[in-house]
Structures are given as structure tokens and as C-alpha cells.
Amino acid sequence: MSLWESYQTKQQFPSLQKHVSVNTLIIGGGMTGLNLLYFLKNQLDVCLVEANTIGAGVSKNTTGKINYLQENTWLPYLKKGKEDLASCYLDSQIHGMNLLLNICQTEKIDCNLEQVTSYLVTQKLEYQADLDLLQTFLQKKNISFVRDVSLFPSFLDGIGVTDTYVFHPLKYLLGLAQKLKRSQIYEKTKIVKIIKGVNCYFCHTDANYCIKAKQVVLACHYPFFLFPFLLPMKTQVQKSYLVAQKVFDNPKYTYITLESPSLSTRFYQEQDEIYQIYLGESHDIYHKQDDVTHFENVLKQFDIEPNSVESVWSNVDLMTLDHRAFVGEIAPSLFLATGYQTWGMIQSVLSAEILAHLLQGEADQYAWLFYPKRKNVETLFQYPLSFYQNVTSFLKSKFYPKSWYTDALSFTFQNGKIIAIYRDEQGIHKVHPVCPHMKCSLIFNEIEKTWDCPCHSSRFDVDGNWLKGPAKKNIGLQDTPKNTSIVNKKKY
């Protein structure tokens, strides 16, 4: 589990046990959904449903950085000479950061909020020109910075800003949830079908209850439907690998490299315990599916002794083709917020404020920047690539050899259907390793004991219970077949 996950993952709020009718339904109890409910707290006719528990999705796997010095959002616009767009984007990120800080202060949420200096660093001469461009831009924006990498002997150059923060994301979410009306939050309530009615939507749960809502907000990481937005054509899913170990000092900095895949680190302090969190090996999930090797590479890149590791986990981020999130209306009274480019802590709060304004018929200064139906000629030419990657993900999941699988995992056929059996100290775990979303074959992650979808990032635990992602059903099987012999394990 992640370092944050040990704090609290139990159900705190009731499941929906009746049919209800509301003005606004928020689907998703992560950073976006909870902050949106907070901004709408003066509206009585709104509720939030979470398929798992509060913060149990992507939010619990983040690094917990609150940082506007981002290498993959506004910086690409600056490098393309689009200074006005870069400036507006940067302003939006600073605004989002201040929103989050204000909530922490106003609501007195104890979430280990700590001010740090955040750096963009590089090991290569070729990236110094980017840092020169960035320095000139920060000077124009009257943002204080330091051009110094004396803290990092292995890096050639870097630039940092002192007014950024880190925090404990789950403590923040659960603290915020306690400030909201208990009757407005439902956990363990999964929406499995949305039907458009006359001036409303009928949202059906997996327990056969229905929520009738005039407005629906999809605040989940990856919506379960393809239409009307065709999200797979407009995004890529990136996976990263994280390791935490105890250290003796908290120097109060974060860094991320300009090189790709990025290396990133931050520190977390809980009383006398100090942890350093490392991130590396980020890649598009349509290839490089050997999780064990990725975790081993992170240990090597940061020179970490395996026996010193306290926690390991992975995270997935939704990357848009033009480096901007999708926030706004995608169909009449149907709203979406996703695609945060690995910087979800700031962008989720910013998106929540944008959506709150739109839902109440108010103007928002940044709504145009993240409008989900924006026209961009550059991204139109990337749609075929996204289609190719989706097809590649599907085919590789079916036919790419999984040579890293150990003897603890075996496959057999039962009633013409492939069955995966994993044995560990807890017993035998049996699943049908095919994602219910779009039928991609699942990849077993033996480090985290999960079944992961290499197409759209759905995840299931070792027993096949749904954890997150666009899939709507579990994949676990109860009975154990008599024949558990390996059937071409490398293929499956």
C-alpha cells in the first residue's frame, strides 16, 4: 500500500440504501469531488457518491506535492513561444495552490502541510536552455527563484521556488469530509449506468438504487463510458512507481527532473518519523508492463537498499494531448474533470472551483483554459496515435509474453474461459483475468498483488475485487477448479 493508505481506508460514511432525487450529483470521492462538494456546501440539494471509500482511488497514490513549478503543463507552452498561454496557465496553478492553502487554514485541517522549496533539475547540458527560458519567464512574472543545485551533487543545473508545499493527501480528504454534511456523502456506492432523461439523468447504482439528478459531475479519474466524449482518443495513461524509506533528516525540498522519464522526490515527516518518497520509471501503460522490473529500477536509480524500503506502490495519471485538463460540460448538464498531467493536487481544487461556478451559472476566469470541447489542430493529428496505442494495449495484453510471471501464478481453462490462479501464504486466489470494461487482458502486479488493466488503468485486488478505474464489475471467482496446471503461462 502507499505511505498514505495506512492512515485510514475504512468506510466512514453510509452506502446509499434508497432512491433519491437531487439537483446535483457528484460521482467520485477523491480530491476533485470532495473539494467540489465543499464549494457547494451552501447548496442543500447536492450529494456525492464514491464507489469505494473516500480517497481510495488515485488520491491515495499521489506524492502529495502542491507545486506550481511543473515540467509538463505550462512549460511546454513556454518552449513553443506561447508565452501568454503559459502565463495564464501558471496563474491558474498558483490560484489553485492558494485555494488549497486557504481551505486548510479556514477549516483547520491537520494534514501535515509544510512549506518547501521545489526544484526543476537536470543532468544534461541540453536542458540548460530550458532553464534559461524559465528563469527569464519567472523574472517577468515577478516570481522569486533560486538558480542553485548545490543540494544535489548529481545534477548539473536547476531552478527552484520557495513558496510551494507538500501535505498528506488522505488526511486532507478525510479532514475535509468531516467538515461536510454527513447526509450528502455515500461511500461504497458505485454508479454503473447513466441514462439521459428529460431535463435529468437517472444514475443507477450496483445495488439497484437510482439517483435522479438535474446535473451530474464525473469527478472520477476515468469515466466508465466511451461516448459522448471519446476520452481514450484524447488521452494517454501514464504509470509511475514509488518507493518510501525512512531517513534521518527533512531538508524540506522537492525536485523533479526535466528528463523523461522523470525522477522525483519529496520528504514527509510524522512527528519523529521522517520518510523520503521517490518516484521514477514513468511510462505509457500500453507498453513496458513488467512492474517488478520497474520497481527494481527505481531502487537502482536512487541507490536504495531493498531492505530499507518501508512502502512501495504505483500510480497512474491521465495525460491529455495538449497538456491541459478537461474541465467543464461535455453534454447538456453532464460535467467532467480529469486529465491532470501528474499535478492533481493543485488542479483538482482548481477544477472543483471552476465546476462550482459553472454549476451555479456563474463565470469563471479559467473555465476557457480547460474547456473540454476546445478545438486544437495540433491534437487532431495525434488522435490516430492515441487510437494506435489503445489497439496496441489491447493486443499486447492478449499476446505479449509475460516472462516475468513466477510459478506462484498459473492458468487453466474452465467452461472455455481462461482462469488465473495465484497462490500465496493467504491461500488460493482465483480470477477471470479479463477487464470488464473493454475486454483487455489484465496484467498481474506481483509487487502490489493487484490485477491491472494495461488499456485504461482499471485495477482489481488479488481476489478480483474492483479497486478503481472504468470497469464496473469484479473479476473474482469462488470455486477452485481441480485442474490447475499451467496453460501457456507466458502468453497469458
Side-chain angles (χ1 to χ4, degrees), residues 14 59 61 72 74 166 194 208 295 394 452:
S59 299
N61 294 327
N72 63 353
W74 55 270
V166 292
I194 300 176
N208 295 319
F295 279 114
F394 180 85
D452 300 344

Side-chain angles (χ1 to χ4, degrees), residues 440-451:
C440 293
S441 291
L442 299 169
I443 307 296
F444 188 62
N445 178 342
E446 199 160 357
I447 298 295
E448 299 176 88
K449 302 291 182 68
T450 57
W451 288 95

Side-chain angles (χ1 to χ4, degrees), residues 382-400:
Q382 297 182 59
Y383 286 173
L385 177 60
S386 292
F387 178 77
Y388 166 78
Q389 290 176 342
N390 275 275
V391 172
T392 300
S393 295
F394 180 85
L395 294 176
K396 279 190 173 183
S397 76
K398 300 292 183 185
F399 305 114
Y400 187 78

Side-chain angles (χ1 to χ4, degrees), residues 158-409:
I159 195 167
V161 292
T162 59
D163 56 340
T164 58
Y165 298 80
V166 292
F167 76 144
H168 189 306
L170 265 190
K171 282 189 179 183
Y172 171 81
L173 281 173
L174 292 166
L176 183 62
Q178 297 303 324
K179 305 292 183 179
L180 301 169
K181 294 182 176 65
R182 183 174 178 82
S183 61
Q184 291 181 309
I185 300 175
Y186 299 97
E187 293 182 311
K188 299 289 185 178
T189 302
K190 184 191 296 186
I191 301 298
V192 296
K193 182 168 58 176
I194 300 176
I195 299 175
K196 181 73 172 72
V198 178
N199 298 321
C200 69
Y201 288 92
F202 297 97
C203 303
H204 297 267
T205 75
D206 56 349
N208 295 319
Y209 294 107
C210 180
I211 305 173
K212 180 183 176 182
K214 293 181 180 178
Q215 302 177 118
V216 175
V217 178
L218 302 163
C220 40
H221 181 252
Y222 206 115
F224 61 82
F225 53 79
L226 183 62
F227 298 101
F229 195 58
L230 290 173
L231 188 66
M233 297 290 290
K234 303 173 183 178
T235 57
Q236 298 169 345
V237 183
Q238 185 181 98
K239 191 170 187 177
S240 302
Y241 301 81
L242 298 95
V243 175
Q245 70 171 166
K246 285 185 180 180
V247 293
F248 297 105
D249 185 39
N250 179 5
K252 297 188 178 182
Y253 68 72
T254 78
Y255 74 66
I256 188 167
T257 61
L258 285 167
E259 289 89 338
S260 182
S262 298
L263 300 177
S264 170
T265 194
R266 64 154 289 192
F267 295 83
Y268 167 68
Q269 185 163 355
E270 183 67 50
Q271 297 180 349
D272 294 332
E273 301 286 353
I274 301 173
Y275 300 86
Q276 187 167 4
I277 302 170
Y278 310 87
L279 178 148
E281 290 288 288
S282 300
H283 65 91
D284 294 335
I285 62 171
Y286 76 95
H287 67 107
K288 297 182 179 178
Q289 297 164 348
D290 180 359
D291 296 292
V292 174
T293 298
H294 286 300
F295 279 114
E296 290 174 349
N297 287 342
V298 173
L299 297 180
K300 293 175 183 176
Q301 289 163 345
F302 289 100
D303 195 23
I304 303 169
E305 289 293 330
N307 58 8
S308 71
V309 171
E310 293 287 332
S311 185
V312 296
W313 70 99
S314 64
N315 193 27
V316 292
D317 292 285
L318 205 58
M319 316 294 284
T320 64
L321 302 181
D322 64 354
H323 313 291
R324 281 185 274 168
F326 294 126
V327 185
E329 195 172 28
I330 60 172
S333 300
L334 181 65
F335 297 80
L336 174 73
T338 192
Y340 295 153
Q341 299 287 123
T342 75
W343 297 102
M345 298 301 95
I346 283 180
Q347 298 208 36
S348 57
V349 185
L350 174 66
S351 298
E353 185 189 57
I354 293 172
L355 290 171
H357 288 153
L358 296 178
L359 290 165
Q360 297 174 99
E362 301 170 357
D364 185 275
Q365 62 180 323
Y366 297 114
W368 69 272
L369 187 62
F370 303 103
Y371 178 57
K373 293 184 178 180
R374 58 186 177 266
K375 304 298 181 184
N376 189 323
V377 176
E378 292 181 24
T379 60
L380 287 177
F381 292 104
Q382 297 182 59
Y383 286 173
L385 177 60
S386 292
F387 178 77
Y388 166 78
Q389 290 176 342
N390 275 275
V391 172
T392 300
S393 295
F394 180 85
L395 294 176
K396 279 190 173 183
S397 76
K398 300 292 183 185
F399 305 114
Y400 187 78
K402 318 299 190 303
S403 58
W404 60 88
Y405 282 170
T406 67
D407 290 340
L409 184 66

